[in-house]
Amino acid sequence: PDYRIKSTQTVYKGFFKMTRSVVEHRLYNGGWSKPLVRELFQRGDAVGVLLYDPVNHLVGLVEQFRLGAIDDRHGPWQFEVIAGMMDRDEDPEQVAMRELMEEAGVEVQKLVPICDYLASVGGSDERMYMYCGLLDLTGRGGVFGLEGEGEDILFHVWPYDEAMQAFSQGLFNSAAATISLLWLQLNHSELRLES
């Protein structure tokens, strides 16, 4: 193997988990690195869904309070794709369907895979599975979320052109929203033809 984990310990376990490991890895110029002490935020895998209505050319996003965005220039209420964490016994499509109902009260006609990516490998193990959910967004929107999880989620439906203008102005600045909206820019014409 090209790496060795010398030790691992849990340094925090709450809503999330943080571990500290001592690792060594092979060097490009040969030999081994010195022992490196690294903390890893163990969040687990997640699923995100950008909603798109190809007939009416509408985009669905949610808005909610996010502590990590307290210092963001747009404030802590962030526009995002619908998303949720995966349990060990779920596949990404199951999570997508559950979260669509919880956060927007919708079922999609079709889930189109966009990609999956590692969110921030410098310090987290989270993998994000991204989809585009196709459905009729006419008359949709409202307040959703699970009270037991402290969720207060506002579901917005935007005309495509307005959503892309807001995106270009930096209003949608999470990685998942950025990736999925760039994907939609490249694929919306084909999705509209297929519908």
Side-chain angles (χ1 to χ4, degrees):
D2 293 329
Y3 66 91
R4 300 184 285 233
I5 298 176
K6 306 298 272 182
S7 66
T8 298
Q9 70 181 71
T10 299
V11 294
Y12 175 78
K13 186 167 182 165
F15 188 68
F16 298 114
K17 181 179 173 183
M18 178 79 73
T19 59
R20 180 176 295 126
S21 296
V22 178
V23 299
E24 299 171 338
H25 63 84
R26 290 194 188 273
L27 298 173
Y28 292 117
N29 291 329
W32 285 87
S33 70
K34 64 181 182 181
L36 304 169
V37 178
R38 296 290 185 263
E39 287 81 27
L40 184 66
F41 178 53
Q42 294 188 295
R43 181 174 162 84
D45 294 341
V47 176
V49 182
L50 174 68
L51 293 177
Y52 179 60
D53 179 339
V55 174
N56 300 298
H57 212 29
L58 301 170
V59 176
L61 295 163
V62 294
E63 181 182 12
Q64 59 187 314
F65 178 85
R66 293 299 196 189
L67 180 62
I70 286 283
D71 294 328
D72 185 73
R73 67 184 170 111
H74 297 293
W77 279 268
Q78 295 287 297
F79 290 98
E80 303 172 330
V81 298
I82 292 167
M85 303 302 297
M86 288 178 62
D87 292 331
R88 291 188 187 273
D89 60 343
E90 292 180 301
D91 65 39
E93 292 83 9
Q94 289 174 311
V95 177
M97 295 304 186
R98 180 188 74 224
E99 293 298 324
L100 287 166
M101 190 53 66
E102 289 176 9
E103 296 189 6
V106 298
E107 293 181 10
V108 295
Q109 298 158 350
K110 183 177 182 181
L111 272 179
V112 180
I114 294 175
C115 69
D116 66 84
Y117 65 94
L118 294 165
S120 183
V121 294
S124 175
D125 67 349
E126 179 183 2
R127 178 176 297 276
M128 185 75 161
Y129 295 87
M130 295 300 309
Y131 294 91
C132 181
L134 305 180
L135 75 161
D136 180 354
L137 286 170
T138 306
R140 302 289 186 161
V143 178
F144 296 89
L146 296 179
E147 188 176 322
E149 293 183 10
E151 294 178 332
D152 181 41
I153 299 170
L154 183 57
F155 174 38
H156 294 270
V157 175
W158 297 63
Y160 174 86
D161 291 336
E162 288 179 26
M164 290 305 166
Q165 172 140 11
F167 174 50
S168 71
Q169 294 170 347
L171 190 58
F172 310 144
N173 62 1
S174 74
T178 298
I179 290 167
S180 59
L181 287 166
L182 288 171
W183 179 90
L184 186 60
Q185 282 181 328
L186 294 172
N187 293 281
H188 72 91
S189 295
E190 183 178 329
L191 293 172
R192 294 192 83 192
L193 284 173
E194 291 174 2
S195 62

